[in-house]
Amino acid sequence: MPPSIGELTSLKTLNIFVVGKGRGSRLKELGTLKLKGELHIKHVERVTSVADAEEANMGDKDLHHLLLSWDRVEESRLQGKYVEQVLEVLQPSAHYLQILRLGGYPGVRFPQWMGSPSLKDLCHVVIVDCKNSSSLPTLGKLPSLKRLEISNINHLTYLDNETYDNTGGFMALELLLLDKLPNLVRLSREEGENMFPVLSELHIYECPELSLPSLPSLKELIVRGKCHQGLLNSIYKLHSLEFLAFYGSDEESPRFPNGVLKELVSLKKLWLRNLSRLDVLTYGIMKLSTIQELYIINFDNLETLPDHVLEGLQSLKVLQIERNKKFKLSAGFQHLTFLKQLRIIKCPEVEGFPEALQHMTALQSLTVYDLPNLKSLPDWLGNLVLLDSLRIAKCPKLTCFPTSIKSLGNLKSLRIEECPELSKRCETGTGKDWPLIAHVPEVHHFPKCHFPDRIFLYLPINMEGV
């Protein structure tokens, strides 16, 4: 930082202050500044005394967003209780604070002010990389907390240790993101009916010991990495769940209990990725008559979807099969009579489309991506009269269209990417297949594929700048 920035006494906006080691760059430079808005104090580990932190006068600033970060490599100049006292005196004004983020805090305990109900407007808290902490502040009492993100705290066993009266805890929390918490066992020590009453989104990444309570308002659950069998056993309690994404680890995934998914009577969207066991497909989704979107990604041993599973997917509208080395399309797909979008991605064993698939007459969008052995599209393609989008990418053996494509009067968009022979035949006005597709309003050719190489969902901890 420029030295002696505290002499700019009219300064109102300072998004970042880097604590230095010399005169004119210490934290007390903030003391005379009437700052507003957002402030990131970086390298808090360089603070040399509690008095220096007090002179920053943090309570005298109108901050709505405060980010405090300690360097993960650089040793703190203060130890033990003094580290904790520094954070104590950096308490911002309770009248304005809406977002609070901490990264790399080396203390054992958090100050009481972080969980004080007086922070009536605090709606978003992020706590990351607190290697010495085994418990969090009493965040459950924050009246407006809507979003909470906790990451990389090895010794944390409960998100909340408090005992509540009938008012309950985390009354406003809507989104909870947990990442790399290897010893987290439960969300709270007390798991009563008044806990997390409006929680609608829960993201769990690398929390191998966690199991869940009943969460009556939960609509979205994302689980990524190794997980405990208890978590799978507790999913059946989530009767309001509409979206479930489960990404297995490289190790063998735990077994989905038989019938656990059929209890999810509100489930509409299901993502399954990188699972070593196939029984989730056989026993899990076969009776999910409410499901509308299904994504099956990276099942190395999956050869096809069983007919009895496909018959049970009565409401399915979107199906994505991706990165399944042995997968082939089967006649059972004819049961998907309500399917509107079909995406087949990176499945090298797919060589063609069975005749039975012509019964998927509700299909509006078809994507085939990176199918190196796909040799032809079916003659019955013209029977899919509602098809309005066709995308073909990285299918080098596909060299022409069937003549029936001319019958697709609703086809509005045709994309051909990294298919050299097919692109040549479809060149505007001169290609041999151009008369078959001339009626399509939007025809695009791309020498390189515009699809992302990986198509999957992952929402990381939001700690930009820490």
Side-chain angles (χ1 to χ4, degrees):
M1 301 294 294
S4 303
I5 200 169
E7 295 181 12
L8 302 177
T9 54
S10 297
L11 193 64
K12 296 292 190 296
T13 301
L14 181 65
N15 289 341
I16 184 169
F17 180 83
V18 182
V19 180
K21 298 180 180 180
R23 180 177 297 180
S25 61
R26 293 176 180 171
L27 192 58
K28 64 181 181 181
E29 291 294 322
L30 298 177
T32 59
L33 303 181
K34 303 291 185 181
L35 298 179
K36 296 182 178 181
E38 178 181 346
L39 175 62
H40 176 185
I41 301 178
K42 195 171 183 178
H43 286 295
V44 182
E45 78 281 352
R46 295 176 182 170
V47 174
T48 56
S49 69
V50 176
D52 186 29
E54 285 180 324
E55 289 185 56
N57 290 328
M58 294 299 293
D60 196 34
K61 306 180 194 323
D62 301 341
L63 300 174
H64 66 75
H65 185 173
L66 175 62
L67 170 53
L68 304 172
S69 65
W70 290 252
D71 191 272
R72 298 170 178 83
V73 177
E74 191 171 335
E75 282 293 323
S76 175
R77 295 190 175 190
L78 300 176
Q79 301 296 326
K81 66 178 183 179
Y82 298 107
V83 170
E84 297 171 2
Q85 288 176 7
V86 166
L87 183 55
E88 180 73 52
V89 301
L90 291 179
Q91 178 178 355
S93 171
H95 297 293
Y96 302 97
L97 193 64
Q98 298 176 20
I99 302 173
L100 175 65
R101 301 195 287 172
L102 262 64
Y105 171 61
V108 175
R109 298 176 181 84
F110 292 90
Q112 290 186 351
W113 65 260
M114 286 185 62
S116 171
S118 64
L119 295 170
K120 56 183 179 58
D121 295 321
L122 184 57
C123 61
H124 187 179
V125 172
V126 181
I127 302 177
V128 173
D129 291 334
C130 301
K131 62 181 180 180
N132 296 321
S133 301
S134 59
S135 62
L136 298 176
T138 55
L139 302 173
K141 295 183 178 181
L142 295 172
S144 300
L145 184 62
K146 294 183 178 181
R147 181 182 178 117
L148 176 61
E149 304 176 30
I150 308 294
S151 175
N152 205 15
I153 304 179
N154 289 341
H155 305 297
L156 190 67
T157 54
Y158 300 101
L159 198 67
D160 186 81
N161 281 295
E162 289 296 303
T163 299
Y164 296 88
D165 54 22
N166 293 332
T167 59
F170 298 94
M171 301 302 290
L173 193 66
E174 297 175 357
L175 187 148
L176 174 60
L177 198 156
L178 307 171
D179 186 18
K180 297 183 183 67
L181 305 173
N183 290 298
L184 187 68
V185 177
R186 295 209 305 262
L187 296 185
S188 59
R189 187 181 293 275
E190 179 182 286
E191 295 185 340
E193 294 181 357
N194 294 324
M195 300 295 292
F196 307 97
V198 298
L199 184 66
S200 60
E201 295 184 41
L202 175 57
H203 301 222
I204 302 170
Y205 309 142
E206 305 293 343
C207 299
E209 302 298 325
L210 180 64
S211 60
L212 297 178
S214 176
L215 299 169
S217 299
L218 194 67
K219 289 182 167 49
E220 179 175 312
L221 173 62
I222 298 175
V223 181
R224 188 176 190 269
K226 187 178 179 181
C227 72
H228 192 270
Q229 186 66 51
L231 188 145
L232 297 179
N233 290 337
S234 59
I235 287 178
Y236 78 93
K237 305 174 187 177
L238 310 176
H239 299 299
S240 298
L241 200 64
E242 296 180 359
F243 172 36
L244 172 62
F246 192 90
Y247 303 89
S249 65
D250 293 333
E251 303 175 20
E252 185 171 289
S253 304
R255 183 184 296 273
F256 272 80
N258 287 352
V260 67
L261 294 182
K262 72 178 182 181
E263 300 292 330
L264 305 180
V265 294
S266 301
L267 194 65
K268 294 181 174 64
K269 186 175 181 179
L270 177 62
W271 285 67
L272 299 171
R273 183 177 186 268
N274 198 28
L275 301 182
S276 58
R277 298 180 185 271
L278 301 180
D279 52 3
V280 63
L281 295 175
T282 303
Y283 302 108
I285 65 175
M286 58 183 293
K287 294 184 179 179
L288 286 177
S289 58
T290 60
I291 194 166
Q292 297 180 8
E293 298 185 32
L294 176 60
Y295 302 80
I296 300 175
I297 304 169
N298 206 18
F299 280 64
D300 284 345
N301 297 315
L302 179 66
E303 296 182 2
T304 191
L305 293 179
D307 286 0
H308 62 275
V309 170
L310 294 166
E311 285 186 63
L313 299 174
Q314 301 170 6
S315 302
L316 194 65
K317 294 182 173 63
V318 178
L319 175 61
Q320 180 167 313
I321 309 290
E322 180 184 345
R323 296 177 181 269
N324 299 298
K325 295 178 181 178
K326 298 181 180 180
F327 178 81
K328 294 182 179 180
L329 292 163
S330 68
F333 276 71
Q334 66 181 312
H335 299 295
L336 304 180
T337 54
F338 292 98
L339 194 68
K340 293 184 178 181
Q341 298 181 32
L342 175 62
R343 307 183 193 114
I344 310 296
I345 300 169
K346 288 185 175 288
C347 296
E349 292 297 314
V350 173
E351 298 179 356
F353 291 76
E355 288 289 323
L357 270 66
Q358 64 182 302
H359 299 295
M360 296 191 300
T361 53
L363 202 64
Q364 297 176 5
S365 174
L366 175 61
T367 296
V368 291
Y369 167 61
D370 201 355
L371 306 183
N373 293 307
L374 181 65
K375 299 174 182 176
S376 64
L377 293 175
D379 291 334
W380 50 259
L381 187 67
N383 295 348
L384 306 180
V385 293
L386 297 182
L387 195 68
D388 62 18
S389 175
L390 177 59
R391 298 182 175 184
I392 303 169
K394 299 182 73 171
C395 299
K397 293 184 179 180
L398 191 60
T399 58
C400 65
F401 280 116
T403 56
S404 63
I405 195 174
K406 194 173 184 179
S407 303
L408 297 177
N410 283 322
L411 191 62
K412 297 180 177 63
S413 174
L414 174 60
R415 294 171 64 99
I416 305 170
E417 308 183 32
E418 212 166 324
C419 300
E421 292 299 321
L422 186 61
S423 290
K424 185 177 180 180
R425 290 182 63 98
C426 294
E427 288 181 358
T428 304
T430 60
K432 292 183 179 180
D433 283 358
W434 174 250
L436 303 178
I437 60 173
H439 65 288
V440 181
E442 296 182 13
V443 178
H444 302 283
H445 303 266
F446 300 101
K448 292 293 183 180
C449 185
H450 283 216
F451 286 93
D453 186 54
R454 291 189 175 187
I455 304 174
F456 61 89
L457 179 66
Y458 177 57
L459 302 177
I461 285 282
N462 180 19
M463 281 300 290
E464 297 172 2
V466 176

